[in-house]
Amino acid sequence: MTPPVRVSVIGIGCGSPDHLTLQAVRALGSLDVVVLTDKRRGDDPLVHVRERMLAEHVAGVQTVVVHDPPRERRAEHVGDQRSYERAVEDWHDARASAYADALAPYRGRQVGFLVWGDPAFYDSTLRILGRVAAAGLPLDIEVVPGVSAVQLLAARHRLVLNDIGAPITVTTGRRLAEEADRGTDNIVVMLNRSLDAVELGDDWHIWWGANLGTAHESLLSGDLRTTAPQIDGERNRVRAAAGWVMDVYLLRRRA
Ligand SMILES: C[S@@+](CC[C@H](N)C(=O)[O-])C[C@H]1O[C@@H](n2cnc3c(N)ncnc32)[C@H](O)[C@@H]1O
């Protein structure tokens, strides 16, 4: 029987080489090949971060670059939740077929995917590999956890994310307003295209961080209403300086 492709899905932290765990470094050392997903057709700064990491720990390892299939983002096609989910489904199908093509030659070999942060937070690699396997390519998958942006945010602001015995909600900028309307009062927000929190009104405190763990890291905290304009300015400044910006924040409703 032909053996499965052995796949390591490795959380690599959010940009700092210091946040690669020892387990991740060991896993990198066992790879025959690494699949890198390029979202910008040859000029993806996050691919360059991964390449630097590989050069430091496993110089010379073979890499296969998969160009990310285009994703529908036009507001008129993804405005409501259903059409958004359908657009993501289509994109995942296309990605699964690109991953299947990249993986098929490596049966019996060890292939790595370097996942930003931790594979369990807003990352589709495991879901897409699930589709690849369901479509008929046998995979043997191991997951190596990584340091997530959520943990970095908490560490940088010296925060415990939950109040004593209380829940934490983690959601996206897109769904923040509905979460706040529902009365949720302790919310970590990821995947932001802008500072969606500005819509929320006066009763909130924000702890914000961008490009955490990198040379362009930026942190701000304070009353939401007064801090929001500063955050907007910082987002633009960081994007211009680093070539990319990713930010995450905790919002807590004041008692
Ligand atoms: C596609 S999700 C991936 C999350 C990742 N798997 C994790 O565990 O953090 C990308 C989002 O994570 C957050 N993020 C990732 N890296 C970050 C960083 N270095 N600084 C701040 N936020 C970051 C941002 O909210 C960004 O929009």
Side-chain angles (χ1 to χ4, degrees), residues 14-15 115-119 121-123 147-150 152 189-192 209-214 244 246-248:
C14 294
V115 169
W116 200 257
D118 182 88
F121 283 103
Y122 291 104
D123 185 89
V147 177
S148 167
V150 177
L152 280 178
V189 190
M190 306 178 80
L191 289 167
N192 311 299
N211 294 35
L212 296 165
T214 74
W244 58 280
M246 284 202 272
D247 62 343
V248 57

Side-chain angles (χ1 to χ4, degrees), residues 93-174:
D93 276 344
R95 222 188 218 192
S97 126
Y99 281 2
D101 290 346
L103 289 170
Y106 296 104
R107 294 184 74 151
R109 314 277 299 280
Q110 192 77 41
V111 182
F113 284 81
L114 309 188
V115 169
W116 200 257
D118 182 88
F121 283 103
Y122 291 104
D123 185 89
S124 301
T125 308
L126 286 169
R127 246 183 242 121
I128 292 168
L129 291 173
R131 283 177 195 224
V132 172
L137 182 66
L139 304 179
D140 179 1
I141 299 175
E142 70 155 352
V143 177
V144 177
V147 177
S148 167
V150 177
Q151 293 165 282
L152 280 178
L153 178 77
R156 291 293 196 256
H157 283 285
R158 297 179 289 269
L159 281 171
V160 178
L161 290 176
N162 61 289
D163 273 331
I164 297 172
I168 312 161
T169 299
V170 182
T171 191
T172 63
R174 235 186 123 73

Side-chain angles (χ1 to χ4, degrees), residues 167-225:
I168 312 161
T169 299
V170 182
T171 191
T172 63
R174 235 186 123 73
R175 303 193 77 151
L176 172 60
E178 73 182 69
E179 206 53 67
D181 283 351
R182 196 180 290 152
T184 310
D185 52 18
N186 192 53
I187 313 175
V188 173
V189 190
M190 306 178 80
L191 289 167
N192 311 299
R193 312 211 93 194
S194 60
L195 188 67
D196 302 274
V198 287
E199 312 294 332
L200 292 189
D202 283 332
D203 317 335
W204 298 82
H205 194 98
I206 186 166
W207 291 264
W208 175 87
N211 294 35
L212 296 165
T214 74
H216 297 282
E217 176 171 297
S218 175
L219 296 172
L220 285 169
S221 65
D223 170 76
L224 174 61
R225 187 48 56 95

Side-chain angles (χ1 to χ4, degrees), residues 5-9 31-35 103 106 109-113:
V5 184
R6 287 180 283 125
V7 180
S8 302
V9 178
L31 300 178
D32 295 308
V33 60
V34 179
V35 176
L103 289 170
Y106 296 104
R109 314 277 299 280
Q110 192 77 41
V111 182
F113 284 81

